[in-house]
Amino acid sequence: VDGGTLQETLFESELFGHERGAFTGAERKGRPGLIELAHGGTLFLDEIGDMPLELQPVLLRVLESKKVRRVGGKRYIPVDFRVICATNKDLRAMIQKGTFREALYYRLAVLKLQIPPLRERREDIGELVKYFINNISAKMGCRCPTVSPQAMEIIQRYDWPGNVRQLENALVCAVSTAAKGVIEVKHLPEDIVHPVSAGGEPLWNRTPMSLKELEKMAIAQAMRQTGNNVAQAAEMLQIGKSTLYKKLKLYDIRY
């Protein structure tokens, strides 16, 4: 279940189901929710950080009681399922802001797997490119294109802030426009071919960059990726907070 694609008004009925006449537009015979459908199996909740705050205690009760009640219903239905969640958000930071329930976080965080961002596992990019191109071509019913060395170089050195999903979307664009069976640089999205820094400057050039320029770029990128959180950016850069504050002032990086 992709929580990011469910409308907030429908989230409850989709997850917990609804009885006949529970609300305007409800199905005549009612409908089981996704939790009921997961009985005896596994429910994968993607983008758990997008779950509405008011529904989080309801999910917590289901996980603790192993029972679910449909919207508009009075009886509790026993359910037995395994739950796996995924998110690209910092749930602990959301707890501090009051946008995610602490009790639900600790109920879900029994075993945590941290998947490194794509920029930290560039050795995977080549295999992912092949995989996505094959899948995309099959869905489009077209011949599987090859990738030119120049295009692959750009794909390999780009930082992919949107990770695997961004890579897949970029290849959908490339496969769609590669009419001659070869993905060239011109078939890649513009923001990948010519990425810019937070200040609108080109992220890479043909001429070598000075150490100060590289340091400024690294700091700006760390601040952008952490949402301007100085503590997290300092940890990412492996420097002290006070040192980072000095360098932010030195390079006039606004945050």
Side-chain angles (χ1 to χ4, degrees):
V1 185
D2 187 351
T5 63
L6 289 178
Q7 296 181 25
E8 188 169 337
T9 54
L10 298 176
F11 206 113
E12 185 175 15
S13 65
E14 288 287 339
L15 202 58
F16 306 111
H18 63 264
E19 296 289 359
R20 179 178 59 183
F23 52 86
T24 302
E27 294 186 14
R28 291 185 178 182
K29 296 182 180 180
R31 189 173 66 178
L34 296 167
I35 288 178
E36 280 185 67
L37 296 175
H39 178 69
T42 302
L43 177 67
F44 176 39
L45 293 172
D46 198 7
E47 304 296 353
I48 186 66
D50 291 334
M51 187 176 193
L53 186 63
E54 63 273 14
L55 295 185
Q56 293 175 22
V58 184
L59 176 60
L60 179 61
R61 285 197 296 270
V62 171
L63 295 174
E64 291 179 341
S65 67
K66 299 291 185 180
K67 295 178 181 178
V68 65
R69 185 176 68 177
R70 295 182 183 180
V71 176
K74 297 181 179 180
R75 66 188 181 97
Y76 284 88
I77 303 168
V79 287
D80 181 17
F81 64 99
R82 178 190 293 110
V83 62
I84 300 173
C85 300
T87 182
N88 61 357
K89 296 182 178 180
D90 187 341
L91 295 184
R92 287 176 295 184
M94 292 180 66
I95 291 172
Q96 295 298 320
K97 294 178 182 178
T99 55
F100 198 86
R101 303 274 182 176
E102 185 175 22
L104 178 59
Y105 171 79
Y106 287 114
R107 185 65 179 79
L108 294 172
V110 177
L111 173 64
K112 294 186 288 184
L113 297 176
Q114 186 75 26
I115 301 176
L118 195 54
R119 65 181 177 275
E120 292 181 9
R121 47 190 177 100
R122 295 185 186 275
E123 66 277 6
D124 292 346
I125 292 177
E127 290 300 318
L128 286 169
V129 168
K130 293 177 185 177
Y131 172 79
F132 285 133
I133 287 178
N134 286 335
N135 278 8
I136 294 164
S137 300
K139 289 178 181 179
M140 292 183 175
C142 64
R143 188 179 67 175
C144 188
T146 58
V147 184
S148 72
Q150 295 81 3
M152 183 57 76
E153 180 188 355
I154 287 176
I155 291 171
Q156 287 282 3
R157 69 177 180 175
Y158 184 66
D159 272 348
W160 301 107
N163 290 303
V164 175
R165 289 180 181 175
Q166 185 187 10
L167 174 61
E168 182 178 14
N169 289 337
L171 292 172
V172 169
C173 172
V175 173
S176 301
T177 55
K180 295 183 178 180
V182 179
I183 295 175
E184 303 283 359
V185 173
K186 63 182 179 181
H187 300 131
L188 298 174
E190 180 67 18
D191 57 348
I192 293 172
V193 178
H194 299 294
V196 295
S197 67
E201 301 165 346
L203 209 52
W204 55 57
N205 299 290
R206 292 297 180 185
T207 55
M209 301 177 70
S210 68
L211 291 176
K212 286 187 176 181
E213 289 174 319
L214 289 170
E215 185 178 61
K216 180 179 179 180
M217 182 188 299
I219 291 172
Q221 184 174 339
M223 292 295 289
R224 183 173 67 253
Q225 290 175 358
T226 59
N228 290 329
N229 185 307
V230 175
Q232 291 181 11
E235 183 178 353
M236 180 182 294
L237 295 165
Q238 298 182 1
I239 60 176
K241 282 175 60 178
S242 59
T243 301
L244 179 54
Y245 276 118
K246 291 178 182 178
K247 291 185 180 294
L248 288 169
K249 184 176 181 181
L250 173 65
Y251 294 125
D252 193 26
I253 298 175
R254 301 181 181 182
Y255 59 97

